[in-house]
Amino acid sequence: MESEKDLKILRHSAAHLLAHAVIELFPKTKLTIGPATEEGFFYDFLPEKNFKEEDLPKIEAKMHEISQRNLKIEHKEISKDEARKIFKDNPFKMELIHEIPGETVGLSTQGNFYDLCRGGHVKYTNDIKYFKLFSISGAYWKANKEGTPLQRINGTAFYSEKELIDYEKRKEDLLRYDHRKVGKELDLFSFHDEGPGFPFFHPKGKVVLNLLIEYMRKLQQELRYKEISTPIILSDELWRQSGHYKHYKENMYFTKIDNKKYAIRPMNCPGSILIYKNKPKSYKELPLRLSEFGLVHRHELSGVLHGLLRVRSFTIDDAHIYCTINQVENEIFNIIKYINIALNRFGFDKISIKLSTRPQKAMGSIKIWNQAIDLLKKSLDKSNIKYDIAEGEGAFYGPKIEFKVQDSMGRVWQLSTIQIDFFLPKNFELSYINSKGEKETPIIIHQAIYGSLERFFAILLEHHKGNLPIFIAPVQVKILTITDDQKEYAIKTFNELKSNQIRIEIDETSDPISGKIKNALNEKIPLMIIIGKKEVENNNLTIRYLDGKQETLTIENVIKKFQNIN
Amino acid sequence: MESEKDLKILRHSAAHLLAHAVIELFPKTKLTIGPATEEGFFYDFLPEKNFKEEDLPKIEAKMHEISQRNLKIEHKEISKDEARKIFKDNPFKMELIHEIPGETVGLSTQGNFYDLCRGGHVKYTNDIKYFKLFSISGAYWKANKEGTPLQRINGTAFYSEKELIDYEKRKEDLLRYDHRKVGKELDLFSFHDEGPGFPFFHPKGKVVLNLLIEYMRKLQQELRYKEISTPIILSDELWRQSGHYKHYKENMYFTKIDNKKYAIRPMNCPGSILIYKNKPKSYKELPLRLSEFGLVHRHELSGVLHGLLRVRSFTIDDAHIYCTINQVENEIFNIIKYINIALNRFGFDKISIKLSTRPQKAMGSIKIWNQAIDLLKKSLDKSNIKYDIAEGEGAFYGPKIEFKVQDSMGRVWQLSTIQIDFFLPKNFELSYINSKGEKETPIIIHQAIYGSLERFFAILLEHHKGNLPIFIAPVQVKILTITDDQKEYAIKTFNELKSNQIRIEIDETSDPISGKIKNALNEKIPLMIIIGKKEVENNNLTIRYLDGKQETLTIENVIKKFQNIN
């Protein structure tokens, strides 16, 4: 596989090839810029007459034609005076020439096509063979909404046909397995105009949410967390004291009670803190680990709402650990361990870790920040885990560790977070009595493994392409009878499995078995139990897996199979 | 036991005795009225100088003295003219004489004491022997805040000493087992000024809440309910459509999003309805039973907030059953069955049922109301359950069945409700396609067993006097070692029981065993495991019950004991 840098060279060259084709087809078009991107490349044009999607195949064909001409791609440095002569009719290029520092600029040429360019190309146009244009979108000169409106043609390029095909397949998968589409097909959730950005969970979606909570509750119990629940509406003053009002007001919703201002919580910390403060604490009670499946509301612009991935209300598997400075390292070590257990359980094995340090807009001294960052580094080192440092990407109230996972379609998602907080304990004057009888200020560790349960659900759906792992599938198994003669045996089987906490359904239609199998596959149910005459006679069950493999087992062995899964 | 009417006669006579004693001790006091009440009696006075709590024993002693004089209590009708002469110095009595219809009024006398009175007394003052004064409170003439401020002396009276002692004991219990007090002692929940009326659940309180939810979820699964979850903020228009805005606005909280008005939900119905409407429905899908543990917010005046019994936010074990008219009877029959199962499980065996009919302020025609009431009656009759009819006490949108329980301290609480609703389905234009392919409107049955989980929790705590039944106790068992030598064995036992889902703690103090037992009793933990030298040697455990009884068992048998409980 080519290195990332080489791919960028290829794609930037493809952008030139695109511009070359456009100029040959539409000579009056004005060129602006054409960089490589993460996913491919684009070129922004000022066309004489707007391009339409129908133009793309024609442009792509012209690109192939120029590629086959196998023109040599050359690059040279020319004086700005010379460049100004060449580009005198193109105000965009003239502006760029003015802005480039130094006395010379780069000029790239292939045949009679030329472009202002920093350089970095393949050698011949025929080196660019595997490319695809996929869309036209609006853009502005220098991405400035006040600037000239342009048209952007988007595409991608690879060094091999296989890579291009894989990429197109992935693009298709992204559409096919979009969680919004799958969620609708499987009747998991919906959105309604009456509550934009607020998800409605249907019965099967709610089963998954409840299973996510149940699984996390078990992990939290192993970590000796104690679950609490606190109100979702709390006084304005509290949010001023916590600093959220100052830093987060634009994303909060407010209400009035008895003519006093209250906020609908965007975070769960202040509620947890009020419980901590409810009684004086001794060092013997620390670390005190309070967890909450806390519903929060945060405003998002309506334009960026995106299924369950970007909502205005969601539940966080939140935890706040109140501890001494000496306990931080061990607490974080344990959390890291459990984050890995959880992410692996849900099928994420490509995990990367980022340690984010002090941002520009931050509370507290640099000294305190450095102390916190050192503790996080120590815990990571002790866990024997590789991590990157992201300078300046911490939250305003403390440094954090973020866990990212790569999903089955190559995308990277930020999930779990651990955050040290020296500031809220001071703001809220938290204290405990140490072993010498003196008052000290505890540290808070904020921590979430799923983060937003709703978002995690969406990522899980897309990662597994709708085929949720059996331990979290809303329906784990469906009974299909060959004919209605097996109905009685099917109901007996249903009741026995159901009483063993297996999530089961019966197909009660009169469809032929092939139709029943097709429906179960569409419903993405991990297992089918097929019952025909033979199974009734032999008092056993035939299991059919997603891949079509079958196996005949006694009912006891089917139950055992599930006990191993759950 | 005396009938209720006789008790009222006794208590009204005791009020006269009180007034008699007050007049002898404080002759310049002006008398007003002195009725019997549910709990006892009171008399409202206009004193020359305000009475103090310290005066009560003196007044009570004087009452006993007058009682022992054994004065004959006489009643006669006199003309209003005569009455006006007798009471000319008392403006309150003069006002009453003016208001009483007819030409005569009643006069009651005992010795040289007399009072304006309708009649109904015991025969001699010595018939009033077992009474108690308990407080002085403020009152207004005719309960009108603009009227003359008076002082009310409260007391009670019974026919036997035993009844009086029992009553005083119950009054003490009410104070001692007030859930607010118990909740604080057992560290279950708290309230904070930052969210008045919004409960904060501490770890042990949250365990109970989660167990309540888990238990109900199991019952709901047996009833084939499907759990959903819907947003807690929904648009203003929706609440106008549902009728809540018109009938309930004063109790709702509002917010703004993108300059549009939204309400924080006071009820869960509209969210459920939006899920019903999400897809067209066929008669084959009915009855569709959607349940939700839905958090609602309802305004209450700050003066009436009362621990968990009266809050501003709570969770309802809500369910909405969408069905045809023919399905109503059977659905309600099943719900009634499960309500009885649940209430019995939590130790309520004194259950009474009320069917509430059309109130003054109601939606819909009388014909539709009568149809609904007939269906409810049929289901109740089929269940073979006695019920009372409360005319005019239904909700504005339909008739309902309410379940009341009597608690261990004699108080009656309204808990479960079942409500038929013909109106919301029409308001929201709900429909299903019947077997003939025609559109029809379903009926909604609203149903809740706990009602408010928070309120149910409070009632449960008071009913069981803090000793929650073992299946719902936050800590089921505590291990107490005689000396530190048994620590290792205690930890082994702890781990084994914990891995069997038993909620367990170890007393890690160095207190003597008597102190450890005392602490466990104070914490109201249903079972203790006592481990001494003998238990370690014999590899068994000694169980100590709340009543002090002990029993020595193997660890396996202890686990079995718990499996039978849960």
Side-chain angles (χ1 to χ4, degrees):
Chain A
M1 203 169 138
E2 312 294 331
S3 81
E4 201 181 314
K5 201 188 149 207
D6 283 352
L7 203 55
K8 281 212 166 154
I9 283 172
L10 175 73
R11 286 168 174 178
H12 175 58
S13 305
H16 275 288
L17 187 63
L18 164 62
H20 191 165
V22 164
I23 287 295
E24 290 203 1
L25 289 167
F26 310 96
K28 294 199 174 164
T29 305
K30 294 244 181 302
L31 304 182
T32 72
I33 55 163
T37 63
E38 288 271 310
E39 294 271 295
F41 62 87
F42 66 81
Y43 208 110
D44 285 350
F45 301 101
L46 181 66
E48 192 193 18
K49 213 182 106 193
N50 267 1
F51 300 133
K52 293 181 203 131
E53 293 282 339
E54 302 93 88
D55 296 326
L56 291 183
K58 203 161 66 179
I59 297 171
E60 211 176 84
K62 178 60 80 181
M63 286 169 75
H64 279 292
E65 188 201 313
I66 300 169
S67 164
Q68 276 158 25
R69 288 183 212 158
N70 206 15
L71 304 169
K72 188 163 168 46
I73 302 174
E74 287 176 296
H75 182 82
K76 60 181 174 185
E77 287 290 308
I78 58 171
S79 74
K80 281 193 168 180
D81 275 351
E82 198 178 338
R84 274 188 281 262
K85 273 178 216 156
I86 295 170
F87 293 104
K88 66 179 190 301
D89 294 332
N90 184 325
F92 306 108
K93 299 290 184 186
M94 290 298 275
E95 198 176 324
L96 292 175
I97 293 163
H98 178 72
E99 284 167 6
I100 293 166
E103 287 312 303
T104 62
V105 293
L107 187 78
S108 171
T109 55
Q110 52 197 46
N112 50 12
F113 173 81
Y114 54 91
D115 201 355
L116 187 73
C117 174
R118 207 177 307 169
H121 296 96
V122 294
K123 287 183 180 159
Y124 293 92
T125 56
N126 201 22
D127 292 340
I128 317 160
K129 277 204 275 286
Y130 310 108
F131 54 83
K132 181 87 196 160
L133 300 182
F134 37 74
S135 64
I136 299 175
S137 54
Y140 291 95
W141 172 237
K142 291 186 168 172
N144 174 4
K145 280 188 185 173
E146 319 279 285
T148 313
L150 304 171
Q151 274 196 305
R152 173 171 298 177
I153 297 181
N154 302 285
T156 196
F158 289 93
Y159 278 103
S160 73
E161 192 173 10
K162 187 186 173 304
E163 283 169 304
L164 181 61
I165 290 169
D166 285 352
Y167 175 81
E168 291 192 87
K169 168 92 175 56
R170 207 165 73 227
K171 288 273 288 189
E172 259 174 48
D173 279 0
L174 286 177
L175 287 176
R176 186 183 308 159
Y177 302 116
D178 185 313
H179 77 281
R180 293 169 298 184
K181 188 167 162 283
V182 172
K184 203 169 174 173
E185 284 164 3
L186 302 185
D187 199 17
L188 301 175
F189 52 82
S190 59
F191 287 89
H192 300 267
D193 291 341
E194 289 83 352
F198 300 140
F200 288 68
F201 287 97
H202 296 199
K204 286 182 183 170
K206 182 63 177 165
V207 169
V208 177
L209 265 197
N210 282 350
L211 289 166
L212 287 175
I213 289 177
E214 203 180 288
Y215 173 77
M216 192 52 63
R217 204 168 256 155
K218 263 186 207 153
L219 285 199
Q220 288 177 349
Q221 274 165 9
E222 286 177 36
L223 276 162
R224 284 189 284 169
Y225 287 12
K226 292 173 176 182
E227 193 179 337
I228 57 171
S229 83
T230 66
I232 67 148
I233 299 180
L234 289 166
S235 75
D236 201 52
E237 289 98 333
L238 187 74
W239 300 103
R240 288 180 194 272
Q241 194 180 354
S242 69
H244 288 102
Y245 195 85
K246 193 175 163 198
H247 293 270
Y248 208 72
K249 193 177 59 185
E250 295 75 17
N251 295 74
M252 290 166 68
Y253 301 130
F254 295 93
T255 190
K256 270 196 174 170
I257 303 176
D258 289 340
N259 270 317
K260 272 190 65 189
K261 213 173 165 188
Y262 286 76
I264 298 157
R265 68 174 176 197
M267 295 185 189
N268 304 308
C269 339
S272 171
I273 285 172
L274 288 179
I275 287 187
Y276 181 90
K277 283 188 83 167
N278 189 55
K279 272 208 278 189
K281 293 280 179 293
S282 144
Y283 71 97
K284 290 179 192 165
E285 293 170 74
L286 305 187
L288 179 67
R289 310 171 184 96
L290 298 179
S291 63
E292 178 167 16
F293 292 94
L295 176 68
V296 297
H297 287 74
R298 297 181 186 173
H299 188 60
E300 296 277 0
L301 295 177
S302 61
V304 303
L305 295 174
H306 183 93
L308 294 180
L309 279 174
R310 198 111 171 222
V311 287
R312 285 176 175 164
S313 74
F314 53 97
T315 300
I316 303 175
D317 59 324
D318 225 333
H320 297 91
I321 298 163
Y322 301 82
C323 61
T324 69
I325 189 104
N326 295 326
Q327 292 167 337
V328 166
E329 209 183 308
N330 190 48
E331 289 304 305
I332 291 184
F333 175 77
N334 282 327
I335 298 167
I336 289 173
K337 186 174 136 194
Y338 275 84
I339 288 176
N340 278 303
I341 290 173
L343 296 181
N344 288 331
R345 175 69 169 148
F346 288 102
F348 297 109
D349 44 16
K350 291 181 183 163
I351 302 173
S352 61
I353 293 173
K354 190 170 88 174
L355 171 58
S356 298
T357 63
R358 191 175 192 274
Q360 284 290 321
K361 198 176 165 188
M363 292 164 81
S365 74
I366 289 180
K367 193 186 153 203
I368 267 184
W369 272 83
N370 287 342
Q371 195 182 354
I373 290 164
D374 280 349
L375 284 167
L376 290 174
K377 282 184 182 167
K378 265 193 194 169
S379 313
L380 282 164
D381 292 340
K382 199 174 148 196
S383 305
N384 228 344
I385 284 181
K386 274 190 198 162
Y387 60 93
D388 294 319
I389 292 182
E391 296 290 351
E393 291 187 22
F396 72 85
Y397 53 92
K400 62 180 171 185
I401 299 176
E402 288 167 295
F403 285 69
K404 292 183 178 190
V405 296
Q406 192 183 331
D407 74 9
S408 62
M409 291 184 271
R411 291 166 309 167
V412 172
W413 303 99
Q414 193 242 294
L415 291 178
S416 317
T417 51
I418 309 171
Q419 180 141 17
I420 290 194
D421 188 343
F422 286 97
F423 308 115
L424 279 184
K426 280 194 182 148
N427 272 0
F428 282 98
E429 297 174 347
L430 300 191
S431 67
Y432 66 94
I433 302 301
N434 70 16
S435 60
K436 292 172 198 148
E438 301 153 347
K439 226 177 193 180
E440 281 201 49
T441 305
I443 286 162
I444 295 180
I445 302 171
H446 304 254
Q447 180 255 300
I449 296 185
Y450 296 137
S452 151
L453 264 73
E454 285 75 358
R455 184 169 163 273
F456 189 83
F457 188 1
I459 293 169
L460 210 55
L461 273 176
E462 298 199 355
H463 178 51
H464 293 288
K465 301 183 177 177
N467 289 303
L468 288 177
I470 192 160
F471 75 97
I472 198 109
V475 181
Q476 298 179 300
V477 55
K478 192 158 187 169
I479 298 180
L480 322 178
T481 55
I482 308 261
T483 71
D484 281 352
D485 294 344
Q486 293 92 42
K487 210 171 169 182
E488 197 186 320
Y489 187 76
I491 290 171
K492 181 179 150 278
T493 305
F494 172 89
N495 287 332
E496 194 149 348
L497 294 184
K498 194 159 182 69
S499 70
N500 277 278
Q501 277 75 54
I502 294 166
R503 298 184 294 279
I504 188 163
E505 282 184 355
I506 299 186
D507 186 332
E508 299 191 81
T509 65
S510 304
D511 294 344
I513 188 69
S514 60
K516 288 180 179 176
I517 290 174
K518 202 177 150 201
N519 287 339
L521 287 171
N522 284 341
E523 293 167 25
K524 302 200 178 288
I525 295 167
L527 289 181
M528 299 172 215
I529 287 177
I530 296 177
I531 300 177
K533 205 175 157 191
K534 225 170 56 189
E535 282 81 7
V536 177
E537 276 169 18
N538 300 328
N539 195 25
N540 58 22
L541 303 168
T542 295
I543 299 278
R544 190 185 195 279
Y545 298 91
L546 273 183
D547 60 7
K549 279 188 192 141
Q550 297 197 170
E551 164 178 38
T552 298
L553 295 170
T554 63
I555 194 157
E556 291 73 27
N557 283 333
V558 171
I559 291 168
K560 265 188 207 145
K561 218 174 180 56
F562 274 94
Q563 280 161 349
N564 293 333
I565 287 164
N566 288 322
Chain B
M1 203 171 138
E2 312 295 329
S3 80
E4 203 181 311
K5 199 189 151 209
D6 284 352
L7 203 54
K8 281 212 166 154
I9 284 173
L10 176 72
R11 286 169 174 178
H12 175 58
S13 305
H16 275 288
L17 187 63
L18 163 63
H20 191 166
V22 164
I23 287 293
E24 290 203 1
L25 289 167
F26 310 96
K28 294 200 173 163
T29 304
K30 295 242 180 306
L31 305 182
T32 73
I33 55 162
T37 63
E38 287 271 309
E39 294 272 292
F41 62 85
F42 66 80
Y43 207 109
D44 286 350
F45 302 100
L46 180 66
E48 193 193 16
K49 214 181 104 194
N50 268 2
F51 300 132
K52 292 182 202 126
E53 294 281 339
E54 301 95 89
D55 296 326
L56 292 184
K58 205 161 65 179
I59 298 171
E60 212 176 86
K62 177 64 78 180
M63 286 169 75
H64 280 292
E65 191 201 311
I66 300 170
S67 163
Q68 277 158 25
R69 287 182 212 160
N70 205 14
L71 304 169
K72 188 164 170 45
I73 302 173
E74 289 175 294
H75 182 83
K76 60 181 175 188
E77 286 290 308
I78 58 173
S79 73
K80 281 193 170 180
D81 276 349
E82 199 178 339
R84 273 189 281 264
K85 273 178 215 158
I86 295 170
F87 293 103
K88 66 179 188 302
D89 294 333
N90 185 324
F92 308 107
K93 299 290 184 186
M94 289 299 275
E95 200 177 322
L96 293 175
I97 293 164
H98 177 72
E99 285 167 8
I100 293 166
E103 287 312 302
T104 62
V105 294
L107 187 77
S108 169
T109 57
Q110 53 196 51
N112 49 13
F113 173 81
Y114 54 90
D115 200 353
L116 189 72
C117 173
R118 207 175 309 169
H121 298 95
V122 293
K123 288 182 179 160
Y124 293 91
T125 56
N126 201 24
D127 292 341
I128 319 159
K129 277 205 275 286
Y130 310 107
F131 54 85
K132 180 90 196 159
L133 300 182
F134 37 75
S135 64
I136 300 175
S137 54
Y140 292 96
W141 171 239
K142 290 184 169 171
N144 173 6
K145 279 187 186 175
E146 319 278 284
T148 313
L150 304 171
Q151 274 195 304
R152 173 171 299 178
I153 296 181
N154 302 285
T156 195
F158 288 94
Y159 280 103
S160 73
E161 192 174 12
K162 189 186 171 303
E163 283 170 303
L164 180 62
I165 290 169
D166 285 353
Y167 175 81
E168 291 191 88
K169 169 92 177 55
R170 206 165 75 227
K171 287 273 288 189
E172 261 174 47
D173 280 359
L174 286 177
L175 287 174
R176 188 185 304 158
Y177 302 116
D178 185 313
H179 77 280
R180 294 169 298 183
K181 188 168 162 281
V182 172
K184 203 170 176 177
E185 284 164 3
L186 303 185
D187 199 17
L188 300 175
F189 52 83
S190 58
F191 287 89
H192 299 265
D193 291 342
E194 290 82 352
F198 300 141
F200 288 68
F201 286 97
H202 296 200
K204 287 184 183 169
K206 182 64 177 164
V207 168
V208 177
L209 265 196
N210 283 349
L211 289 167
L212 286 176
I213 289 176
E214 203 179 288
Y215 174 76
M216 193 50 64
R217 203 169 257 155
K218 262 186 210 156
L219 285 199
Q220 288 177 349
Q221 274 164 10
E222 286 177 36
L223 276 162
R224 284 189 284 170
Y225 287 13
K226 293 174 175 182
E227 193 179 336
I228 58 170
S229 82
T230 66
I232 66 148
I233 298 180
L234 289 165
S235 75
D236 202 53
E237 288 99 332
L238 186 73
W239 299 104
R240 287 179 195 272
Q241 194 179 354
S242 69
H244 289 101
Y245 195 85
K246 193 174 162 200
H247 293 270
Y248 208 72
K249 194 177 58 183
E250 295 74 19
N251 294 74
M252 290 167 67
Y253 301 131
F254 295 92
T255 191
K256 270 196 174 170
I257 303 175
D258 290 339
N259 271 318
K260 272 189 63 187
K261 212 173 166 189
Y262 287 77
I264 298 158
R265 69 174 174 195
M267 294 184 190
N268 304 308
C269 341
S272 171
I273 285 172
L274 289 178
I275 287 187
Y276 181 91
K277 282 189 84 167
N278 189 56
K279 272 207 279 191
K281 294 280 177 294
S282 143
Y283 70 98
K284 290 179 192 164
E285 293 170 76
L286 304 188
L288 179 66
R289 309 172 186 97
L290 298 179
S291 64
E292 177 167 17
F293 292 94
L295 177 68
V296 297
H297 287 73
R298 297 182 186 173
H299 188 59
E300 296 277 359
L301 296 177
S302 60
V304 303
L305 295 173
H306 183 92
L308 295 180
L309 279 174
R310 197 110 174 223
V311 287
R312 285 175 174 165
S313 74
F314 53 96
T315 300
I316 304 176
D317 59 323
D318 225 334
H320 297 92
I321 298 163
Y322 302 81
C323 61
T324 69
I325 189 106
N326 296 328
Q327 292 166 335
V328 165
E329 208 183 310
N330 191 46
E331 289 303 306
I332 290 184
F333 176 76
N334 282 327
I335 298 167
I336 290 173
K337 184 173 136 195
Y338 275 84
I339 288 176
N340 278 303
I341 290 173
L343 297 182
N344 288 333
R345 175 68 169 148
F346 288 102
F348 297 109
D349 44 16
K350 291 181 183 163
I351 303 173
S352 60
I353 294 173
K354 191 173 87 176
L355 170 58
S356 298
T357 62
R358 192 176 192 272
Q360 283 292 319
K361 199 176 165 187
M363 293 163 79
S365 74
I366 289 180
K367 193 185 153 205
I368 268 184
W369 273 83
N370 288 342
Q371 194 182 356
I373 290 164
D374 280 349
L375 283 166
L376 291 174
K377 282 183 183 168
K378 265 194 196 168
S379 313
L380 282 164
D381 292 340
K382 198 174 148 197
S383 304
N384 225 345
I385 285 181
K386 274 189 197 161
Y387 59 94
D388 294 319
I389 293 183
E391 294 293 350
E393 291 187 22
F396 72 85
Y397 51 93
K400 62 180 170 185
I401 299 176
E402 288 168 296
F403 285 68
K404 292 184 179 191
V405 297
Q406 190 183 333
D407 75 8
S408 63
M409 291 184 273
R411 292 166 308 169
V412 171
W413 304 99
Q414 192 243 294
L415 293 177
S416 316
T417 52
I418 308 170
Q419 181 141 17
I420 290 195
D421 189 343
F422 286 96
F423 307 115
L424 280 184
K426 281 197 179 144
N427 271 0
F428 282 98
E429 295 173 349
L430 300 191
S431 67
Y432 66 93
I433 303 300
N434 70 17
S435 60
K436 293 173 199 148
E438 302 153 347
K439 226 178 192 181
E440 280 200 50
T441 305
I443 286 162
I444 295 180
I445 303 171
H446 303 255
Q447 181 254 301
I449 297 186
Y450 296 137
S452 151
L453 264 73
E454 285 75 359
R455 184 168 163 275
F456 190 81
F457 188 1
I459 293 169
L460 210 54
L461 273 176
E462 299 199 354
H463 178 51
H464 293 287
K465 301 184 177 177
N467 290 302
L468 289 176
I470 192 159
F471 76 97
I472 198 108
V475 181
Q476 298 179 299
V477 55
K478 192 158 188 169
I479 299 181
L480 321 178
T481 56
I482 309 262
T483 70
D484 281 353
D485 293 345
Q486 293 93 42
K487 212 171 167 179
E488 197 187 318
Y489 186 76
I491 291 171
K492 179 179 151 277
T493 305
F494 173 89
N495 288 333
E496 194 150 349
L497 294 184
K498 195 160 183 64
S499 70
N500 277 279
Q501 278 74 54
I502 295 166
R503 300 186 292 280
I504 188 165
E505 281 184 356
I506 299 187
D507 185 332
E508 299 193 80
T509 65
S510 302
D511 292 344
I513 188 70
S514 61
K516 288 180 179 175
I517 291 174
K518 201 177 150 201
N519 287 338
L521 287 172
N522 284 341
E523 292 167 24
K524 303 205 178 282
I525 296 168
L527 288 182
M528 301 173 213
I529 287 177
I530 296 177
I531 299 177
K533 207 174 155 191
K534 227 170 55 189
E535 282 81 7
V536 177
E537 277 170 17
N538 299 331
N539 195 25
N540 58 21
L541 302 168
T542 295
I543 300 276
R544 188 186 195 281
Y545 297 91
L546 272 183
D547 59 7
K549 278 185 192 144
Q550 298 198 170
E551 165 177 38
T552 299
L553 295 169
T554 62
I555 195 158
E556 292 73 27
N557 281 335
V558 171
I559 291 168
K560 264 187 209 148
K561 218 174 181 57
F562 274 94
Q563 281 161 349
N564 292 333
I565 288 164
N566 288 322

